[in-house]
Amino acid sequence: MKRAATLRLLSDLSNFSGAARLRELLDADPEVRVRCSPDGRHLLLLRPPGAPAPQLLVAVRGPGEELERAWPVGNPSPLDGFFLPWPVRPALVLVWESGLAEVWGAGVGPGWQLLQSTELCPDDGSRVVAVAALRGRLVWCEERQADAEGWLVPPSAAFSHWVCVRTLEPSGEAGTNLGRTHILLHHCPPFGLLASRKDLFLVPTATTWPGVGHILLIWSPSKGKVMVAAPSLGFSHSKSLNLGRGDTWDFPTLLRDLPGLLSPRQPLTVHTWAPTPRGLLLLDFRGTVSLVQSHGGTRAVGTLQEAPVGLAGSAALGTFHGTLACVLGSTLELLDMGSGQLLERKVLSTDRVHLLEPLAPGTEDKEELETRGGLRLLSALGLFQVGWEAPQGLELPSAEDLVFEEACEYYQRRSLRGAQLTPEELRHSSMFRAPQALASILQGHVSPPTLLTILRAELRDYRSLEQLKAQLVAGDDEEAGWTELAEQEVARLLRTELMGDQLVQLNTIFQALPTAAWGAILRALQLQPDGNGRFRSQAPPDMWKKVLGGTAAGKEPPNGVLPLFELLCQYLCRLEPRWLPPFVELAQQQGGPGWGAGGPGLPLYRRALAVLGEEGTRPEALELELLLGSGRPKAVLQAVGQLVQKEQWERALEAGLVFSPSSPLLRSEIFKLLLAEFARHRRLDAHLPLLCRLCPPDLAPTELLLLLRTHLPDESDPPTPFPEPGAEPPLTVGLLRVLLEQTGAQVQPSGPVLSLYEDILWDPGTPPPTPPRGPMTTLQTSDHPGLDAWIPSGRGLYVTDTG
């Protein structure tokens, strides 16, 4: 049976703020650039530089205020704008040709507000020629002035461009935190930038030097590599390009090791580029549509019945359910991406149609759940969706059948029967007793309509999940569908006991689609960064108990299957290692008694460390952060010991000062550990003030001297006033006096002197009074034989007679 395409009206734009201005711009300017926010609630309309005012309009669906900006004649307008995928509030970034970047946000105050402004280009003479946004990164291609190093190729300005990237991260009320600039490519030709969900495509432009006009690049940040592709040659080659390792490439060096790539070829003649989840679509002037995949391979998708006429004609490309949609002027053509066969051709009532980016998985509202998977078209007439009608022979299972199928699986697990249970057998033999039990419990308390309302949401979610599975089985292998399926399965499993098969299934989902699975956990726990490198969560305690709980005694999971907390720690370490310590710290705050796995009260930091590998093979920075973030005395002392081994004295002292108020015993142990290092060498002398602050208040000077004596190095030779060249200087009295004064000031007694040293430490600083002088007597040398050798000739030795 032949499928029939439907064009469904989703909105006539009346529910968008500034609807009249929105329709006017869509109808008046065919060159207007349209962007859609990841959740579909905001539309960005940006007119090209030189267009009449207004040049910028951001409309919002539902409650909210629009953003409308105009720049005076002669002043530059933004080159491009993008919505940022922040989950907390809508935000967008605008980029000018001069390199100015502005970040705007809504929800902080009334209307839209400018949150941040920065300069992307370091040189005054640089200008931005293309910009794209890729998963929290801002990437731009800038043209710089002549190279000061004299790097010349014919023609002189052919390789004077740089491709740079900066990270964009949400940062509390300040809105956005822009990372430092990384250079991906330098000395390269001008590239156009197009971003899909995972990859960045660098495509040649009309001004690209013809010698390299047939080459395009594909950067995959998740894989840490860049792919060099030549579609006309059927050639592709990958190179390493990982920002975490500081990789960068000089464009001529990148191509130097690829023989035959620079042979004389015709530049790519492309009318329209379009990034999709499957790769990069390109439409040439003959009407042929090709797909460049992320691995560099190129294949022809199909040929349109009508080819574009020159550069003036508008065209838009998109994909849905294995179908290619192309809007060329006022004609919509639908082709099968597998066979290239023309499925349907429609004539639209307008030639100014824009295809919108697909919504981010998990952001659809209740109205859009029924239209999931289609392609959205925007024009001045409204927002439409093109999709396929369900075949008449395909009937979705009813809610009752779904419940009975789930019950069959439940009873099958509990029974010892070898034959498979079916819904018909359950109905016929009246084995399914759950509805009767539920009715008896709720009788007189909840009316049947109320009961139906309570169960409707769960049945609708279960039915939509089955519908999604049916679509994927039918051959729709788009990544968005698999991601959505993974998120729904994780959300469903979190409502179970997470033991046995459920835990095995959750581990399998994390192995197959870790990013989607972590996104579902992120929403379930309602994790949000607070701007100080920490997390906060509004999830109920029952959810955290499920996350932190381990396996029951006698029901250990199979080999390779991890409990949920260990599973999250393992994949956090792979996806975002810097989030692991704050996540474990938040989990410790949420945890209750007896929630640990493997025994009562097992600390969560030890469970997280076990996931990182054996001791000695773990990432040192992560291990330190986990030990210090735990706050437990034993872990903090272990972390301080590691810092001492690395000779990070200041951080070790600061850690001791932070945790000393909570545990006097921990303070004493850390002080003794550092005092031993102070006695052995002089590398702690510069941090002596911090060591004095860490000194326990109840430590007496005698105890301090005994501790120092224990760790002083053995002196085999007699002491000398000066150390040998290159030898470690000994502990001096001046350094020792500072510590003795610290201990003496803290335990100064009110009674008599308690030790031999305290009278020196508490000396007020004035010398003792001079004893009275008496008559001088001459010491007779005859009474003391042998002293004449000490008396100079003609002089006598006098002493004071004190009686």
Side-chain angles (χ1 to χ4, degrees), residues 486-506:
E487 292 179 350
Q488 292 197 25
E489 283 291 285
V490 170
R492 183 184 68 83
L493 289 171
L494 287 178
R495 295 192 291 267
T496 66
E497 294 298 327
L498 276 184
M499 297 177 63
D501 295 339
Q502 291 86 357
L503 193 59
V504 173
Q505 185 177 0
L506 189 63

Side-chain angles (χ1 to χ4, degrees), residues 209-526:
W209 188 37
V212 292
H214 61 289
I215 297 173
L216 59 87
L217 306 178
I218 308 168
W219 177 46
S220 301
S222 60
K223 300 176 182 177
K225 66 180 182 180
V226 61
M227 186 73 63
V228 183
S232 59
L233 299 175
F235 174 88
S236 63
H237 187 79
S238 65
K239 297 280 189 177
S240 173
L241 181 56
N242 192 332
L243 290 185
R245 299 196 302 261
D247 291 349
T248 183
W249 275 104
D250 178 77
F251 184 74
T253 305
L254 183 66
L255 305 183
R256 187 175 299 158
D257 299 332
L258 305 177
L261 186 63
L262 296 179
S263 59
R265 294 287 173 178
Q266 290 293 330
L268 290 173
T269 55
V270 178
H271 181 274
T272 302
W273 305 91
T276 67
R278 292 189 171 193
L280 180 67
L281 292 173
L282 56 95
L283 170 66
D284 61 20
F285 290 93
R286 296 172 298 177
T288 302
V289 181
S290 302
L291 176 67
V292 181
Q293 297 169 311
S294 60
H295 52 70
T298 305
R299 70 178 181 91
V301 176
T303 302
L304 305 180
Q305 289 192 345
E306 183 180 354
V309 181
L311 292 173
S314 63
L317 303 171
T319 60
F320 71 100
H321 291 173
T323 305
L324 168 67
C326 179
V327 179
L328 189 61
S330 59
T331 303
L332 170 64
E333 294 190 23
L334 302 176
L335 285 77
D336 183 83
M337 294 193 67
S339 63
Q341 179 185 2
L342 177 65
L343 300 176
E344 193 160 351
R345 189 170 187 267
K346 291 179 177 291
V347 178
L348 307 176
S349 57
T350 178
D351 61 349
R352 296 176 182 178
V353 179
H354 304 272
L355 295 183
L356 300 182
E357 302 93 337
L359 298 179
T363 59
E364 304 94 338
D365 56 20
K366 294 180 180 179
E367 297 179 359
E368 292 167 340
L369 285 174
E370 300 178 1
T371 62
R372 176 183 299 158
L375 195 65
R376 295 176 301 153
L377 288 75
L378 178 67
S379 70
L381 302 177
L383 180 62
F384 299 84
Q385 184 192 46
V386 59
W388 296 111
E389 288 184 350
Q392 297 297 327
L394 176 62
E395 294 184 0
L396 294 174
S398 65
E400 183 183 11
D401 290 333
L402 292 174
V403 172
F404 270 89
E405 288 178 7
E406 189 75 9
C408 286
E409 296 180 2
Y410 172 72
Y411 281 104
Q412 188 68 41
R413 288 194 300 266
R414 296 193 59 184
S415 68
L416 300 177
R417 295 182 49 173
Q420 185 70 27
L421 285 173
T422 62
E424 290 74 17
E425 185 176 355
L426 281 179
R427 288 193 181 98
H428 179 71
S429 58
S430 300
M431 295 173 61
F432 187 53
R433 302 293 182 182
Q436 299 177 15
L438 182 62
S440 63
I441 293 173
L442 298 178
Q443 186 177 7
H445 299 280
V446 181
S447 61
T450 306
L451 177 61
L452 180 61
T453 303
I454 294 172
L455 298 177
R456 181 176 297 163
E458 184 174 0
L459 291 176
R460 186 185 66 244
D461 293 342
Y462 189 46
R463 189 174 185 179
S464 66
L465 180 62
E466 292 298 320
Q467 182 179 2
L468 178 62
K469 290 180 181 178
Q471 293 172 357
L472 293 175
V473 171
D476 184 10
D477 57 348
E478 291 189 7
E479 183 186 359
W482 292 109
T483 300
E484 181 183 354
L485 177 62
E487 292 179 350
Q488 292 197 25
E489 283 291 285
V490 170
R492 183 184 68 83
L493 289 171
L494 287 178
R495 295 192 291 267
T496 66
E497 294 298 327
L498 276 184
M499 297 177 63
D501 295 339
Q502 291 86 357
L503 193 59
V504 173
Q505 185 177 0
L506 189 63
N507 277 256
T508 305
I509 294 175
F510 264 90
Q511 293 173 7
L513 294 167
T515 305
W518 171 250
I521 294 291
L522 199 69
R523 282 186 289 275
L525 296 181
Q526 304 178 41

Side-chain angles (χ1 to χ4, degrees), residues 716-739:
S716 57
D717 299 328
T720 58
F722 302 102
E724 295 292 334
E728 184 76 26
L731 179 63
T732 63
V733 177
L735 294 173
L736 184 59
R737 181 179 179 86
V738 175
L739 276 173

